[in-house]
Amino acid sequence: MSTSSPQRIALIGLGTIGISMAALHLSRDGNIVDVFDTRPDFEDYISKMLPIYIRDSQKQNSDAGASTSLVASLVSSGRLRIHSSLESACASATIVQEQGPENVDWKQSIWAQIEAVAPLSAHFWTSTSGIAASIQQRQMHDKTRLLVVHPFNPPNIMPLLEIVPAPETSPERVEFAREYFSVPGSRHRPVVIRKEIPGFVGNRLAFALLREACYLVQEDVVDAKDLDTILMASLGPRWAGNGVFESYQQGGGEGGIRAFLEKLGETMQTVWDGQGRVNVLGDEGIEWKEKVIAQVDEAYGTLSAEQIQEKEARLKDFVRIQTKKYTPDGLE
Amino acid sequence: MSTSSPQRIALIGLGTIGISMAALHLSRDGNIVDVFDTRPDFEDYISKMLPIYIRDSQKQNSDAGASTSLVASLVSSGRLRIHSSLESACASATIVQEQGPENVDWKQSIWAQIEAVAPLSAHFWTSTSGIAASIQQRQMHDKTRLLVVHPFNPPNIMPLLEIVPAPETSPERVEFAREYFSVPGSRHRPVVIRKEIPGFVGNRLAFALLREACYLVQEDVVDAKDLDTILMASLGPRWAGNGVFESYQQGGGEGGIRAFLEKLGETMQTVWDGQGRVNVLGDEGIEWKEKVIAQVDEAYGTLSAEQIQEKEARLKDFVRIQTKKYTPDGLE
């Protein structure tokens, strides 16, 4: 089955990521989305939340008054189907995607149940941020069907999807997922990770930087807010336009990253040797925790809905500019 | 002397950073900039390069034909003075700023020479990325005058200036530098780093992430280009709009970063325990180097002038959007 033909996607677990995925799948002509969640107010919740993400996904201002009728019209046209059992949600799926609790037992159990009720050809995707497909698939009979499709928060704006197969996942199913998110016009940028590793790639990079950030606050080199300012005033915009490797390829001039590593090698090694080895669990190396939490609370408090809206609008602008074309004449 | 009154800045060493700093200082009404460099074609070089950065700094399209006359008119009005000796360049300075070679002996020697010829009240700034003020000042009599003002590449666009005093630097001189770059209308965001530490803050954060990136390429988890795509499709735009701490404050919802650390603590500790300990110098842990260099060369080659121009135009857009105002009505 080609990825460009309409799919029928069963979404299991409709938290923020699930709702956002529903909006994404519904933005493709002809797709049918079956949703299942155990929350008691499920239908009301869908009617209230889905329009917000569909509006984002279509990049249009929607009339707030039309929100609930949008879901009603999707339901009456048969494109959105709200289910009260896992079995009926999965019965006709070409793709089953779960966004349930980050709990090994729950994941293993749900996939065994899904395997028993979904069509034999259906693709199985988990949106987990931390539990590898090879762990989730342990109670399944056919281990070639499951892979991780890890979105990044907020998933309705962030282009990244980390596709992480288990060693037993079939290459065809990996390619199907990659293609599905790569169709022309897609705002998403799927990347296949070749090996299962805790945190996959995005969070490993983020946590490596975070660890040093926590150390620098612990040592009173800088406070949390000033560290954030430093990141936003330098590495953030740099890495929004260039990856880390391309940045240093450019930084090295004609000699590229090799010249950069030679020139900065001594400073780099000194920094690497002196990196903070703080911890987040256990009893040692956790002196940073209360200090960081206190400074972050003082600097930002609880973000208001309006602040989050502004941040999301700005984030959309950043993502839009990533694909903006610059002609030589139009360059400032 | 107030930072809002015009300053007379002697710039010693006019590479990319020096030229960019000249443009920055000249963008302030009334400032006089004295430049000194030992390159033989110094005057021609200034006439050719400075207009490019002044154009950037004014955010205006300039008539390329007017380029050389711009420098001639700055010189004839007395705002730009091109010197052939260190002594004459520094003679009337209120600020002396050096952007010379990253070499301890050179830095120590130049500051001793500058101290001997500059007015007693002049502020001394070094644009070094790696040699602490406390090391550079060793041959000076008055060690309270020198501090680091570290810009980020490309300095004509990047807002960050890391201000890093030595323990002996006077607080008044630190505050003077911070204020100078904070005047209304300044595009710069100076941050004072409280303690000298190798790499300061920005490069420590960058190198922490780079180390893990090199490890992931070494282990064939992902190739260099896909890793760059991951960074650009997630953390880059996130950190362009939010610092790392604010991102996780938001990510934790009502519970803030404390809730985030509790929820993600296990994955985070697993990632931290398994971080790559690769090296850039020495014989051990350098298996990544040739692999990374080969993949980066293959992915990007040597960037053309046109590519760099496009990247700089995009970077300016990112920085512009950081300070864009979003009204609730205007939110998409």
Side-chain angles (χ1 to χ4, degrees):
Chain A
M1 188 180 314
S2 158
T3 48
S4 57
S5 31
Q7 302 296 328
R8 182 153 180 178
I9 304 109
L11 290 175
I12 312 305
L14 273 282
T16 308
I17 292 172
I19 290 274
S20 171
M21 282 293 172
L24 186 159
H25 295 306
L26 284 166
S27 73
R28 301 269 187 91
D29 285 345
N31 275 357
I32 295 172
V33 176
D34 297 89
V35 293
F36 172 65
D37 192 293
T38 52
R39 69 176 72 214
D41 59 341
F42 185 43
E43 210 160 330
D44 284 352
Y45 167 83
I46 287 279
S47 297
K48 188 179 144 210
M49 297 301 291
L50 186 57
I52 298 171
Y53 288 87
I54 285 185
R55 187 193 60 189
D56 273 349
S57 167
Q58 296 177 335
K59 295 188 190 174
Q60 289 169 354
N61 289 311
S62 77
D63 177 354
S67 293
T68 44
S69 67
L70 172 65
V71 168
S73 106
L74 283 166
V75 170
S76 73
S77 72
R79 293 201 59 213
L80 175 67
R81 299 170 193 221
I82 302 174
H83 294 267
S84 55
S85 82
L86 183 70
E87 185 169 2
S88 71
C90 297
S92 306
T94 60
I95 298 164
V96 181
Q97 187 172 13
E98 80 65 35
Q99 297 83 207
E102 287 290 272
N103 174 298
V104 172
D105 290 342
W106 188 88
K107 302 271 195 207
Q108 290 180 341
S109 159
I110 201 81
W111 285 119
Q113 292 173 57
I114 290 167
E115 190 181 30
V117 295
L120 274 173
S121 59
H123 299 265
F124 293 162
W125 298 350
T126 166
S127 301
T128 182
S129 63
I131 305 171
S134 59
I135 293 171
Q136 295 193 36
Q137 77 195 170
R138 294 232 170 109
Q139 295 173 24
M140 295 173 73
H141 296 288
D142 179 357
K143 296 178 171 43
T144 67
R145 303 172 71 181
L146 181 65
L147 53 91
V148 169
V149 175
H150 176 226
F152 238 72
N153 255 324
N156 52 316
I157 304 174
M158 279 296 182
L160 180 62
L161 292 164
E162 293 180 300
I163 296 182
V164 196
E168 295 190 65
T169 310
S170 83
E172 292 74 23
R173 291 190 180 272
V174 175
E175 186 53 21
F176 177 89
R178 201 193 59 75
E179 274 183 19
Y180 180 82
F181 289 107
S182 310
V183 293
S186 168
R187 297 188 298 168
H188 284 91
R189 292 176 227 153
V191 175
V192 177
I193 312 295
R194 294 193 202 139
K195 290 181 183 176
E196 292 186 322
I197 187 168
F200 312 133
V201 171
N203 277 335
R204 286 188 80 86
L205 297 175
F207 293 164
L209 183 141
L210 174 67
R211 191 181 205 179
E212 184 63 17
C214 294
Y215 171 73
L216 292 169
V217 170
Q218 172 181 288
E219 298 299 308
D220 293 323
V221 173
V222 72
D223 68 24
K225 189 166 189 179
D226 277 351
L227 187 139
D228 275 357
T229 300
I230 288 170
L231 191 54
M232 285 190 283
S234 58
L235 303 172
R238 177 185 288 175
W239 291 337
N242 268 359
V244 62
F245 290 123
E246 188 176 10
S247 295
Y248 290 140
Q249 180 80 345
Q250 188 178 340
E254 286 187 13
I257 193 168
R258 184 186 295 277
F260 177 84
L261 292 172
E262 272 161 26
K263 196 177 156 202
L264 268 286
E266 211 163 320
T267 303
M268 198 179 288
Q269 189 65 48
T270 306
V271 169
W272 285 358
D273 290 340
Q275 270 183 287
R277 299 275 187 264
V278 301
N279 294 310
V280 61
L281 298 183
D283 300 324
E284 279 177 37
I286 55 166
E287 301 87 329
W288 60 274
K289 272 179 95 167
E290 291 307 319
K291 189 187 272 188
V292 163
I293 290 168
Q295 288 185 10
V296 170
D297 278 342
E298 196 194 331
Y300 305 113
T302 302
L303 279 86
S304 68
E306 201 173 69
Q307 283 175 307
I308 291 172
Q309 254 193 317
E310 178 175 337
K311 281 177 183 300
E312 296 201 340
R314 183 170 285 122
L315 184 60
K316 275 186 226 171
D317 271 344
F318 288 132
V319 171
R320 181 179 55 75
I321 279 172
Q322 289 185 319
T323 52
K324 178 177 163 185
K325 298 283 174 231
Y326 295 81
T327 56
D329 290 345
L331 292 173
E332 281 184 64
Chain B
M1 188 181 315
S2 158
T3 48
S4 57
S5 30
Q7 301 296 328
R8 183 152 179 179
I9 303 109
L11 290 175
I12 312 306
L14 274 282
T16 309
I17 292 171
I19 291 274
S20 170
M21 282 293 172
L24 185 158
H25 294 307
L26 285 166
S27 72
R28 301 269 187 94
D29 286 345
N31 275 357
I32 294 172
V33 176
D34 298 88
V35 292
F36 172 66
D37 193 294
T38 52
R39 69 175 73 214
D41 59 342
F42 186 42
E43 211 160 327
D44 284 351
Y45 167 82
I46 287 280
S47 297
K48 189 178 145 209
M49 297 301 291
L50 186 57
I52 298 170
Y53 288 88
I54 285 184
R55 187 193 60 190
D56 274 348
S57 164
Q58 296 177 334
K59 295 187 190 174
Q60 290 169 353
N61 287 311
S62 77
D63 177 355
S67 294
T68 44
S69 66
L70 172 66
V71 168
S73 105
L74 283 167
V75 168
S76 73
S77 72
R79 293 201 61 212
L80 176 67
R81 299 171 193 219
I82 301 174
H83 294 267
S84 55
S85 82
L86 183 70
E87 186 170 0
S88 71
C90 297
S92 305
T94 60
I95 298 163
V96 182
Q97 186 172 14
E98 85 55 43
Q99 296 83 209
E102 289 288 273
N103 173 298
V104 172
D105 291 342
W106 189 89
K107 301 270 195 206
Q108 291 180 341
S109 159
I110 200 81
W111 284 118
Q113 293 174 57
I114 290 168
E115 190 181 29
V117 295
L120 274 173
S121 59
H123 298 266
F124 292 164
W125 298 350
T126 167
S127 301
T128 182
S129 63
I131 306 172
S134 60
I135 293 171
Q136 296 193 34
Q137 77 195 171
R138 293 230 172 111
Q139 294 173 24
M140 295 173 73
H141 295 289
D142 178 359
K143 296 178 168 45
T144 66
R145 302 171 71 181
L146 181 65
L147 52 90
V148 169
V149 175
H150 176 227
F152 238 72
N153 254 323
N156 52 317
I157 304 174
M158 279 295 182
L160 181 61
L161 292 163
E162 292 180 301
I163 297 182
V164 196
E168 295 191 65
T169 310
S170 83
E172 293 73 23
R173 291 189 180 272
V174 176
E175 186 53 21
F176 176 89
R178 200 192 60 75
E179 274 183 17
Y180 180 82
F181 290 106
S182 309
V183 293
S186 169
R187 296 187 299 168
H188 283 90
R189 291 174 226 154
V191 176
V192 177
I193 312 295
R194 296 193 201 137
K195 291 180 182 176
E196 292 186 321
I197 187 167
F200 312 134
V201 172
N203 277 335
R204 287 188 79 87
L205 296 176
F207 293 165
L209 183 140
L210 174 67
R211 190 181 206 179
E212 183 63 19
C214 294
Y215 170 73
L216 292 169
V217 171
Q218 172 181 288
E219 298 298 307
D220 293 324
V221 173
V222 73
D223 68 24
K225 189 164 190 181
D226 277 352
L227 187 138
D228 276 357
T229 300
I230 288 170
L231 191 55
M232 285 191 282
S234 58
L235 304 172
R238 177 185 286 175
W239 290 337
N242 270 358
V244 62
F245 290 123
E246 188 177 10
S247 294
Y248 290 140
Q249 179 80 346
Q250 187 178 340
E254 285 186 15
I257 194 170
R258 184 187 296 277
F260 176 84
L261 293 171
E262 272 162 25
K263 196 178 157 202
L264 267 286
E266 211 164 318
T267 303
M268 198 179 289
Q269 188 66 48
T270 305
V271 169
W272 285 359
D273 289 341
Q275 269 182 288
R277 299 273 187 266
V278 300
N279 295 310
V280 62
L281 300 183
D283 300 323
E284 278 177 38
I286 55 166
E287 300 88 329
W288 60 274
K289 271 178 95 168
E290 290 307 318
K291 188 186 274 190
V292 163
I293 291 168
Q295 289 185 9
V296 171
D297 279 341
E298 197 195 330
Y300 305 113
T302 303
L303 280 86
S304 68
E306 201 173 70
Q307 283 176 308
I308 291 172
Q309 254 193 318
E310 178 174 336
K311 282 177 182 300
E312 296 202 340
R314 183 170 284 123
L315 184 59
K316 275 187 226 169
D317 272 344
F318 288 133
V319 170
R320 181 178 54 75
I321 280 172
Q322 289 185 319
T323 53
K324 178 177 163 186
K325 299 284 174 228
Y326 295 81
T327 57
D329 289 346
L331 292 173
E332 281 184 65

